[in-house]
Amino acid sequence: MSQAIQTPNFVVSGDLYAEVRTFYARQMRLLDQLDIQRYAETFTEDGVVDHASRGERAQGRAAMIAGMRQALPRYAGIAVRHFFDHLLIEPLDDERLSVTYYSLVTRTDAAGAVVFEPTFTVEDVLVRVDGALAAKSRTVYRDGAPA
Amino acid sequence: MSQAIQTPNFVVSGDLYAEVRTFYARQMRLLDQLDIQRYAETFTEDGVVDHASRGERAQGRAAMIAGMRQALPRYAGIAVRHFFDHLLIEPLDDERLSVTYYSLVTRTDAAGAVVFEPTFTVEDVLVRVDGALAAKSRTVYRDGAPA
Amino acid sequence: MSQAIQTPNFVVSGDLYAEVRTFYARQMRLLDQLDIQRYAETFTEDGVVDHASRGERAQGRAAMIAGMRQALPRYAGIAVRHFFDHLLIEPLDDERLSVTYYSLVTRTDAAGAVVFEPTFTVEDVLVRVDGALAAKSRTVYRDGAPA
């Protein structure tokens, strides 16, 4: 978690906090509805998703979409939901925002039974494209994974 | 989830975001404390709660209270907590606000054991009554339920 | 939950909401990284942590640190994460802020298995020290514990 608590005196405004949370509210609906194409479009064209703990890294929307398409069969009949908490929003420079957060991921089956993935800590870099937020990179760390 | 991502360019203000979250912070305390009367008062007089996935619909505070009173024995000795995430707040028109969110519901028993209900996606319509927010309708979808 | 819903008409500003959430985002990272010293520094020097349901009360940073150090062996190989929700932020007077919230605590082991602590309801009093938020007291109630 290299970027967290980097600028301990930065206080995020209410407006930016709400905007970032709304970005994720939309992005996670797309991911959890398995709308892979529109999920990929919430990243920049050259966006990177790095599952650090399992050595999986996709660079660019096309690679992202291909990787997710391969994983789709795993989600047949399962409703996945990504819950976030403790967002820490800090500017890296004039153009980039570091956003780190906790994630708890549920899988509910058709009968209503819930199982949990291990918790994750996520580090995103967000930028603005035509005024709106977009993800430039996402690095996902599985909590408790041996270093 | 008909209303979500309806106005993709709408950016909620920090003040409205905080007000909506505070509305739910108060409303869920009342629900989880089984304070049925005061919970019902967070809805408009003609408010509707529709558990779409189990075909249960209560219209008006009196019906709401009657239905909840019947369910009370199920909660004896159990502390229920409704956790929310990914609120998406969007105006439907000048008077109505669409708020959709994820919900994770825990039940903790006297010994401290926790079990989980299936996750839910909820669609609310909020309005203002004497300046304060009130729920006009709530539609609850069980995630993963066969359509 | 004596302080909750005390000032039902108070509406927290977006800026204060974001600031309080950011305070907890930083504080919980320190706690969950077992950075006991820096966690204790998020409290005032005379800060109090009271686990009401198990009769454990630590007054002052030194007592807090000693108590937590003793508990450390329990967390070997376990990643603990404290998830919060439904923050209710209300001024007690010109200098003190009551913040109450729900808490869901996960423990993920090295293999990725997740177990849950019972849910908790927490009542904090926050103050400002040199402009920044600090915790003056924290009272933790285990949900469902017999009174």
Short mmCIF file of all heavy atoms in Angstrom, two decimals, chain C residues 41-77:
data_model
loop_
_atom_site.label_atom_id
_atom_site.label_comp_id
_atom_site.label_asym_id
_atom_site.label_seq_id
_atom_site.Cartn_x
_atom_site.Cartn_y
_atom_site.Cartn_z
N GLU C 41 -1.96 7.21 18.25
CA GLU C 41 -1.79 8.65 18.04
C GLU C 41 -3.00 9.29 17.33
O GLU C 41 -3.07 10.51 17.23
CB GLU C 41 -0.51 8.92 17.25
CG GLU C 41 0.72 8.66 18.11
CD GLU C 41 2.03 8.62 17.31
OE1 GLU C 41 1.99 8.84 16.08
OE2 GLU C 41 3.08 8.33 17.92
N THR C 42 -3.93 8.48 16.84
CA THR C 42 -5.16 9.05 16.27
C THR C 42 -6.16 9.38 17.38
O THR C 42 -7.22 9.95 17.10
CB THR C 42 -5.82 8.11 15.25
OG1 THR C 42 -6.26 6.93 15.92
CG2 THR C 42 -4.86 7.74 14.12
N PHE C 43 -5.82 8.99 18.62
CA PHE C 43 -6.61 9.37 19.79
C PHE C 43 -5.94 10.55 20.49
O PHE C 43 -4.73 10.77 20.33
CB PHE C 43 -6.70 8.20 20.78
CG PHE C 43 -7.63 7.11 20.33
CD1 PHE C 43 -7.21 6.16 19.40
CD2 PHE C 43 -8.92 7.02 20.81
CE1 PHE C 43 -8.07 5.15 18.96
CE2 PHE C 43 -9.79 6.02 20.39
CZ PHE C 43 -9.36 5.09 19.46
N THR C 44 -6.71 11.27 21.27
CA THR C 44 -6.09 12.28 22.13
C THR C 44 -5.25 11.55 23.18
O THR C 44 -5.46 10.36 23.45
CB THR C 44 -7.16 13.13 22.83
OG1 THR C 44 -8.02 12.26 23.58
CG2 THR C 44 -7.99 13.92 21.81
N GLU C 45 -4.33 12.29 23.77
CA GLU C 45 -3.42 11.70 24.78
C GLU C 45 -4.20 10.96 25.88
O GLU C 45 -3.78 9.91 26.35
CB GLU C 45 -2.58 12.83 25.39
CG GLU C 45 -1.46 12.40 26.29
CD GLU C 45 -0.36 11.62 25.57
OE1 GLU C 45 0.11 12.08 24.51
OE2 GLU C 45 0.02 10.53 26.06
N ASP C 46 -5.34 11.52 26.27
CA ASP C 46 -6.16 10.92 27.34
C ASP C 46 -7.31 10.09 26.78
O ASP C 46 -8.27 9.79 27.50
CB ASP C 46 -6.71 12.03 28.25
CG ASP C 46 -7.65 12.98 27.48
OD1 ASP C 46 -7.67 12.92 26.21
OD2 ASP C 46 -8.35 13.77 28.13
N GLY C 47 -7.23 9.72 25.53
CA GLY C 47 -8.32 9.01 24.85
C GLY C 47 -8.70 7.71 25.54
O GLY C 47 -7.87 7.06 26.18
N VAL C 48 -9.95 7.33 25.36
CA VAL C 48 -10.49 6.14 26.03
C VAL C 48 -11.07 5.19 24.99
O VAL C 48 -11.79 5.62 24.09
CB VAL C 48 -11.61 6.53 27.02
CG1 VAL C 48 -12.26 5.29 27.62
CG2 VAL C 48 -11.07 7.44 28.11
N VAL C 49 -10.74 3.91 25.12
CA VAL C 49 -11.41 2.88 24.33
C VAL C 49 -12.08 1.91 25.29
O VAL C 49 -11.43 1.32 26.14
CB VAL C 49 -10.43 2.12 23.41
CG1 VAL C 49 -11.17 1.00 22.68
CG2 VAL C 49 -9.81 3.07 22.39
N ASP C 50 -13.39 1.78 25.13
CA ASP C 50 -14.18 1.00 26.07
C ASP C 50 -14.92 -0.10 25.30
O ASP C 50 -15.82 0.19 24.52
CB ASP C 50 -15.18 1.94 26.76
CG ASP C 50 -15.87 1.27 27.93
OD1 ASP C 50 -15.76 0.03 28.07
OD2 ASP C 50 -16.51 1.99 28.71
N HIS C 51 -14.47 -1.35 25.48
CA HIS C 51 -15.21 -2.47 24.90
C HIS C 51 -16.28 -2.86 25.91
O HIS C 51 -16.09 -3.74 26.74
CB HIS C 51 -14.26 -3.64 24.59
CG HIS C 51 -13.42 -3.38 23.38
ND1 HIS C 51 -13.82 -3.74 22.11
CD2 HIS C 51 -12.22 -2.77 23.23
CE1 HIS C 51 -12.89 -3.37 21.23
NE2 HIS C 51 -11.91 -2.79 21.88
N ALA C 52 -17.40 -2.15 25.81
CA ALA C 52 -18.43 -2.23 26.84
C ALA C 52 -18.87 -3.66 27.08
O ALA C 52 -19.10 -4.08 28.22
CB ALA C 52 -19.62 -1.36 26.44
N SER C 53 -18.99 -4.46 26.00
CA SER C 53 -19.58 -5.78 26.14
C SER C 53 -18.64 -6.79 26.78
O SER C 53 -19.06 -7.86 27.19
CB SER C 53 -20.01 -6.31 24.76
OG SER C 53 -20.70 -5.30 24.05
N ARG C 54 -17.34 -6.48 26.83
CA ARG C 54 -16.46 -7.42 27.52
C ARG C 54 -15.72 -6.77 28.69
O ARG C 54 -14.74 -7.33 29.20
CB ARG C 54 -15.51 -8.13 26.55
CG ARG C 54 -14.78 -7.26 25.55
CD ARG C 54 -13.91 -8.14 24.61
NE ARG C 54 -12.77 -7.43 24.11
CZ ARG C 54 -12.51 -7.21 22.81
NH1 ARG C 54 -13.34 -7.67 21.90
NH2 ARG C 54 -11.43 -6.57 22.45
N GLY C 55 -16.21 -5.62 29.12
CA GLY C 55 -15.67 -5.01 30.33
C GLY C 55 -14.21 -4.62 30.25
O GLY C 55 -13.50 -4.62 31.26
N GLU C 56 -13.74 -4.28 29.03
CA GLU C 56 -12.34 -3.88 28.87
C GLU C 56 -12.29 -2.40 28.56
O GLU C 56 -12.87 -1.95 27.57
CB GLU C 56 -11.69 -4.63 27.70
CG GLU C 56 -11.28 -6.05 27.99
CD GLU C 56 -10.80 -6.73 26.71
OE1 GLU C 56 -10.22 -6.04 25.85
OE2 GLU C 56 -11.03 -7.94 26.57
N ARG C 57 -11.56 -1.64 29.37
CA ARG C 57 -11.50 -0.20 29.18
C ARG C 57 -10.05 0.26 29.30
O ARG C 57 -9.38 -0.08 30.27
CB ARG C 57 -12.35 0.47 30.27
CG ARG C 57 -12.56 1.97 30.07
CD ARG C 57 -13.53 2.50 31.15
NE ARG C 57 -13.87 3.89 30.92
CZ ARG C 57 -13.13 4.93 31.31
NH1 ARG C 57 -12.00 4.70 31.97
NH2 ARG C 57 -13.50 6.16 31.06
N ALA C 58 -9.57 0.96 28.27
CA ALA C 58 -8.21 1.49 28.31
C ALA C 58 -8.28 3.01 28.27
O ALA C 58 -8.91 3.57 27.38
CB ALA C 58 -7.39 0.96 27.12
N GLN C 59 -7.67 3.66 29.24
CA GLN C 59 -7.66 5.13 29.25
C GLN C 59 -6.25 5.63 29.01
O GLN C 59 -5.32 5.29 29.76
CB GLN C 59 -8.19 5.66 30.59
CG GLN C 59 -7.95 7.17 30.75
CD GLN C 59 -9.16 7.92 31.27
OE1 GLN C 59 -10.01 7.34 31.95
NE2 GLN C 59 -9.26 9.19 30.92
N GLY C 60 -6.09 6.44 27.99
CA GLY C 60 -4.78 7.00 27.67
C GLY C 60 -4.04 6.13 26.67
O GLY C 60 -4.23 4.92 26.60
N ARG C 61 -3.19 6.79 25.87
CA ARG C 61 -2.49 6.07 24.80
C ARG C 61 -1.63 4.93 25.33
O ARG C 61 -1.58 3.86 24.71
CB ARG C 61 -1.60 7.04 24.03
CG ARG C 61 -2.37 7.94 23.08
CD ARG C 61 -1.38 8.78 22.30
NE ARG C 61 -2.02 9.90 21.64
CZ ARG C 61 -1.41 11.04 21.31
NH1 ARG C 61 -0.13 11.21 21.60
NH2 ARG C 61 -2.08 11.99 20.70
N ALA C 62 -0.97 5.14 26.45
CA ALA C 62 -0.06 4.11 26.96
C ALA C 62 -0.83 2.83 27.30
O ALA C 62 -0.42 1.72 26.93
CB ALA C 62 0.70 4.62 28.18
N ALA C 63 -1.97 2.98 27.95
CA ALA C 63 -2.80 1.81 28.30
C ALA C 63 -3.33 1.13 27.05
O ALA C 63 -3.38 -0.11 26.96
CB ALA C 63 -3.95 2.23 29.22
N MET C 64 -3.72 1.94 26.08
CA MET C 64 -4.22 1.41 24.80
C MET C 64 -3.15 0.55 24.13
O MET C 64 -3.42 -0.57 23.68
CB MET C 64 -4.48 2.62 23.88
CG MET C 64 -5.88 2.74 23.35
SD MET C 64 -5.96 4.24 22.30
CE MET C 64 -6.70 5.38 23.46
N ILE C 65 -1.95 1.08 24.06
CA ILE C 65 -0.84 0.40 23.39
C ILE C 65 -0.51 -0.90 24.12
O ILE C 65 -0.33 -1.95 23.49
CB ILE C 65 0.39 1.33 23.30
CG1 ILE C 65 0.10 2.45 22.30
CG2 ILE C 65 1.66 0.56 22.92
CD1 ILE C 65 1.14 3.56 22.27
N ALA C 66 -0.46 -0.84 25.45
CA ALA C 66 -0.14 -2.05 26.24
C ALA C 66 -1.18 -3.15 25.99
O ALA C 66 -0.84 -4.31 25.77
CB ALA C 66 -0.07 -1.70 27.73
N GLY C 67 -2.44 -2.76 26.01
CA GLY C 67 -3.52 -3.73 25.80
C GLY C 67 -3.46 -4.35 24.41
O GLY C 67 -3.64 -5.57 24.26
N MET C 68 -3.20 -3.52 23.42
CA MET C 68 -3.16 -4.03 22.05
C MET C 68 -1.92 -4.91 21.83
O MET C 68 -1.98 -5.89 21.10
CB MET C 68 -3.16 -2.87 21.06
CG MET C 68 -4.49 -2.10 21.08
SD MET C 68 -4.47 -0.67 19.97
CE MET C 68 -4.64 -1.50 18.38
N ARG C 69 -0.83 -4.53 22.47
CA ARG C 69 0.40 -5.33 22.30
C ARG C 69 0.16 -6.76 22.82
O ARG C 69 0.61 -7.73 22.22
CB ARG C 69 1.55 -4.65 23.05
CG ARG C 69 2.91 -5.08 22.54
CD ARG C 69 3.98 -4.03 22.83
NE ARG C 69 4.01 -2.96 21.83
CZ ARG C 69 4.54 -1.74 22.03
NH1 ARG C 69 5.07 -1.44 23.22
NH2 ARG C 69 4.54 -0.86 21.06
N GLN C 70 -0.58 -6.84 23.91
CA GLN C 70 -0.89 -8.15 24.49
C GLN C 70 -1.73 -9.00 23.55
O GLN C 70 -1.65 -10.22 23.55
CB GLN C 70 -1.66 -7.94 25.80
CG GLN C 70 -0.94 -8.49 27.00
CD GLN C 70 -1.76 -8.26 28.28
OE1 GLN C 70 -2.69 -7.44 28.31
NE2 GLN C 70 -1.41 -8.99 29.32
N ALA C 71 -2.58 -8.33 22.77
CA ALA C 71 -3.49 -9.06 21.89
C ALA C 71 -2.84 -9.45 20.56
O ALA C 71 -3.39 -10.26 19.81
CB ALA C 71 -4.74 -8.22 21.62
N LEU C 72 -1.67 -8.91 20.27
CA LEU C 72 -1.03 -9.12 18.95
C LEU C 72 -0.89 -10.58 18.52
O LEU C 72 -1.16 -10.91 17.36
CB LEU C 72 0.34 -8.43 18.91
CG LEU C 72 0.33 -6.96 18.48
CD1 LEU C 72 1.76 -6.45 18.40
CD2 LEU C 72 -0.36 -6.79 17.13
N PRO C 73 -0.47 -11.48 19.43
CA PRO C 73 -0.28 -12.87 18.99
C PRO C 73 -1.52 -13.48 18.35
O PRO C 73 -1.42 -14.34 17.47
CB PRO C 73 0.07 -13.60 20.30
CG PRO C 73 0.66 -12.55 21.18
CD PRO C 73 -0.07 -11.29 20.84
N ARG C 74 -2.71 -12.99 18.75
CA ARG C 74 -3.95 -13.50 18.18
C ARG C 74 -4.06 -13.22 16.67
O ARG C 74 -4.84 -13.86 15.98
CB ARG C 74 -5.14 -12.80 18.85
CG ARG C 74 -5.70 -13.57 20.04
CD ARG C 74 -7.03 -12.97 20.47
NE ARG C 74 -6.86 -11.95 21.50
CZ ARG C 74 -7.71 -10.94 21.72
NH1 ARG C 74 -8.77 -10.80 20.94
NH2 ARG C 74 -7.49 -10.09 22.70
N TYR C 75 -3.31 -12.24 16.19
CA TYR C 75 -3.44 -11.81 14.79
C TYR C 75 -2.32 -12.32 13.89
O TYR C 75 -2.21 -11.90 12.75
CB TYR C 75 -3.53 -10.28 14.73
CG TYR C 75 -4.71 -9.77 15.51
CD1 TYR C 75 -4.56 -9.20 16.76
CD2 TYR C 75 -6.00 -9.92 15.00
CE1 TYR C 75 -5.65 -8.77 17.49
CE2 TYR C 75 -7.10 -9.49 15.72
CZ TYR C 75 -6.92 -8.91 16.97
OH TYR C 75 -8.01 -8.50 17.69
N ALA C 76 -1.49 -13.21 14.42
CA ALA C 76 -0.39 -13.75 13.60
C ALA C 76 -0.97 -14.49 12.39
O ALA C 76 -1.79 -15.40 12.54
CB ALA C 76 0.47 -14.69 14.45
N GLY C 77 -0.57 -14.07 11.22
CA GLY C 77 -1.02 -14.74 10.00
C GLY C 77 -2.45 -14.45 9.60
O GLY C 77 -2.99 -15.05 8.68
#
